[in-house]
Amino acid sequence: MRNSLLMFFLICFLQLINSQTTNLVSIDANGKLTYTADEKGNVIPDFSGVGYQNSEKAIPFVPVVKTVNAVAGDNVANVQNAINEVAAMPLLNGIRGAILFKAGTYAMNKAINVSASGIVLRGEGLATNFRATGTVQYDLINIKGTSGKTDLSSSQKKITDAFVPIGAKTVTVEAGHTFAVGDWVHVRREPNDAWIVLLGMDKLTDLDPLATNWTASSYKISYERKILKVQGNILTIDAPIMDVIDPQYANGFVVKFTSARIQNCAVENMQITSTYTSSTDENHGWKAISINNAENCWVKKVTAYSFGYSCVFIDSEAAFVTVDSCAHYDPISVIDGGRRYCFNINGERCLVQNCNSRRGRHDYVDGSRTPGPNVFYNCAASLQNADLGPHHRWSTGILLDNIIGNGQLRVQDRADSGSGHGWSGSQIMFWNCTAGDIVIQDPPSYHRNWAIGCIGPITNVGQWTTHPLGIVESKGVKITAIPSLFKAQLAERLKGLSTSLVSTNSDAFDLKLFPNPATNQVLIQISMNNASNIQLKLCDVSGKCIKQLTEKQLITTGNSEFNCDLTDVKSGVYFVQFLSDSFNTSSKLIIQ
């Protein structure tokens, strides 16, 4: 009997261990992620190329250049004048400075605007309250440049590969191109009418005469990429292909673009609230923070209450934005379409992490034709009124990683919902998520959706349609070997960058780390032309300070060296953050 019981528990243990795996991605004996391709070469893509500076640099600490106190009555002029004053200051390495808003309530009856690079709005925690008091629908803080991106049409070349699979980082283009390493390009996918028919999106009016059928010309989706390598007509790009380019259904093109977006703007460490007259009032603050025509920006430690739409809305002409440790509680609106999208990404290569929401509808959501990668990581939603995930019209390349909700988590064909939402998304990954109701449908052909390590009932029967079940592995048991796909992919990508010697240079500053990778200690060499009050910190990839490397001290013009002990730091990828009165930067350090 005892032996039988031991054998029974051993079998259960082995089944449990086996269930904590996926056939599609694993860690090999050398600690490297390995991916299993299908017969066409499609693999789970690398989602990690997202967030501020592509997550290759820590979010900087920007020195305060102006301090503001709340005034009685309306504060629009008080706040906007401070922003305008800092906007007139010169840029130093992309930064103008932070405005510190002291504790108090800043009532504002209309929007304030940040339209120049390098400006940070910083509060003193919940004691600083930006309060929307207007009685019309408006967005309180707008981070928005005057223009965005422009394609250089003369550079466009067609992709000539017979098939470009999901996850690929190389494409072949026509001869005679002018692409070079370092160019920013759009990889554009242009579907044809056959693709619309394949998806069934030509039949929406059959379901509802008021719906709108999809048209191929409306689904040309461009993916922002950087060229890392050029070998003849083969281009290597910095983030993978997120949708199949198959000439049977879609052609692909590569075209250079220029960007005039503002950069290094942020909102930090404050509370943002909205007044309202009733639980269904919609004439009040709508979005706490809206970002567009901007790149390499961040929102950090912001708590929003009572806005009708969102805490942070990232619009379609924004990229490389990080939203970290924020919350949106108790939106005020009618509970219906176009409302309560607590954290909404319509831009690309953005990261929302460590956030919370309550009483939202689509709490962590992507909109129409949103190009990935985009990532929602380690977020929670409570008292949901609708589903998390891509909302409508073919978002692609989205990772929801360790998302916890009490309600719905879905990627599905929404058919004639709205004006014809159709397929909400493809190449959508739910990784180690928990939800009360999971719907995952697979679009036709080689498009894919995945639910791996997810806890909750999983079905292919949606509210509007039934389609084949997406790829489901380790159902009901989280993948313990890879707790976070985003973190694992990010760590591996950062390790793959050049690590022999990391150096950040400017005319007035030089920072070097040696050796790199380091073990028990690292030598930090600093050369400066101006005296500054210096701090050196060791931060992890999320920006959290792990260790203070030096005491605050005054360093004069010339060279300085520091030997920093690392014996108490675990192996991994970190950033040495350099903070001074006049200059801030960071450099990657690998500790083994």
Side-chain angles (χ1 to χ4, degrees), residues 491 495 518-519 566-574 589-592:
K495 287 178 183 178
T519 50
L566 303 174
T567 55
D568 57 342
V569 182
K570 296 179 180 179
S571 298
V573 179
Y574 297 89
L589 174 66
I590 294 175
I591 299 176
Q592 296 179 341

Side-chain angles (χ1 to χ4, degrees), residues 241-264:
I241 297 297
M242 288 296 180
D243 201 356
V244 170
I245 300 175
D246 177 358
Q248 182 179 357
Y249 297 113
N251 288 316
F253 299 86
V254 180
V255 58
K256 297 180 190 179
F257 71 84
T258 58
S259 174
R261 297 176 295 199
I262 60 174
Q263 302 186 49
N264 292 312

Side-chain angles (χ1 to χ4, degrees), residues 273-459:
T273 61
S274 176
T275 60
Y276 55 91
T277 59
S278 72
S279 62
T280 58
D281 180 19
E282 299 197 334
N283 290 315
H284 65 99
W286 205 240
K287 303 183 187 88
I289 302 166
S290 179
I291 304 173
N292 203 23
N293 288 340
E295 62 190 16
N296 293 317
C297 297
W298 66 93
V299 180
K300 187 175 179 181
K301 295 183 179 178
V302 168
T303 301
Y305 287 90
S306 307
F307 284 81
Y309 192 87
S310 64
C311 174
V312 182
F313 174 74
I314 303 172
D315 213 341
S316 58
E317 288 297 321
F320 297 104
V321 176
T322 292
V323 178
D324 188 13
S325 302
C326 295
H328 189 202
Y329 295 132
D330 306 330
I332 296 296
S333 72
V334 175
I335 301 177
D336 203 353
R339 298 160 176 87
R340 304 189 183 210
Y341 291 43
C342 297
F343 296 92
N344 187 356
I345 300 175
N346 282 355
E348 57 184 308
R349 305 191 68 167
C350 296
L351 169 65
V352 174
Q353 62 179 2
N354 309 317
C355 293
N356 290 283
S357 62
R358 183 174 63 213
R359 294 192 173 90
R361 289 187 64 250
H362 303 295
D363 302 63
Y364 304 100
V365 63
D366 295 90
S368 171
R369 288 156 282 207
T370 300
N374 286 300
V375 174
F376 297 96
Y377 164 69
N378 193 38
C379 298
S382 62
L383 301 178
Q384 292 174 238
N385 287 293
D387 59 320
L388 314 179
H391 184 48
H392 67 135
R393 294 182 174 87
W394 208 251
S395 285
T396 48
I398 316 300
L399 168 64
L400 290 95
D401 185 332
N402 282 269
I403 305 301
I404 298 175
N406 69 302
Q408 303 166 354
L409 175 66
R410 295 182 170 182
V411 53
Q412 60 184 324
D413 177 2
R414 294 171 58 88
D416 61 325
S417 173
S419 58
H421 286 174
W423 277 100
S424 60
S426 191
Q427 290 69 256
I428 310 298
M429 170 65 80
F430 301 152
W431 184 274
N432 281 356
C433 293
T434 301
D437 169 10
I438 302 173
V439 174
I440 179 165
Q441 298 177 343
D442 238 3
S445 187
Y446 289 100
H447 305 298
R448 291 290 178 266
N449 291 315
W450 306 271
I452 298 179
C454 293
I455 297 174
I458 300 177
T459 181

Side-chain angles (χ1 to χ4, degrees), residues 4-73:
S4 297
L5 286 173
L6 287 173
M7 181 61 68
F8 172 76
F9 286 121
L10 177 60
I11 291 171
C12 291
F13 175 74
L14 291 174
Q15 288 177 338
L16 177 63
I17 293 298
N18 185 59
S19 68
Q20 293 174 339
T21 62
T22 164
N23 294 321
L24 299 177
V25 57
S26 59
I27 300 176
D28 67 15
N30 297 316
K32 182 177 174 60
L33 291 171
T34 59
Y35 301 88
T36 302
D38 67 14
E39 69 275 14
K40 297 292 285 187
N42 298 296
V43 297
I44 290 176
D46 179 0
F47 294 95
S48 72
V50 297
Y52 176 81
Q53 293 289 347
N54 206 29
S55 291
E56 293 171 9
K57 293 184 178 180
I59 291 173
F61 179 80
V62 176
V64 173
V65 295
K66 185 171 181 61
T67 300
V68 177
N69 289 286
V71 298

Side-chain angles (χ1 to χ4, degrees), residues 136-157:
V136 296
Q137 199 173 103
Y138 67 107
D139 306 336
L140 185 58
I141 300 175
N142 292 278
I143 298 174
K144 184 177 181 180
T146 56
S147 58
K149 298 178 291 182
T150 303
D151 279 349
L152 303 176
S153 57
S154 62
S155 69
Q156 178 173 296
K157 291 295 179 181

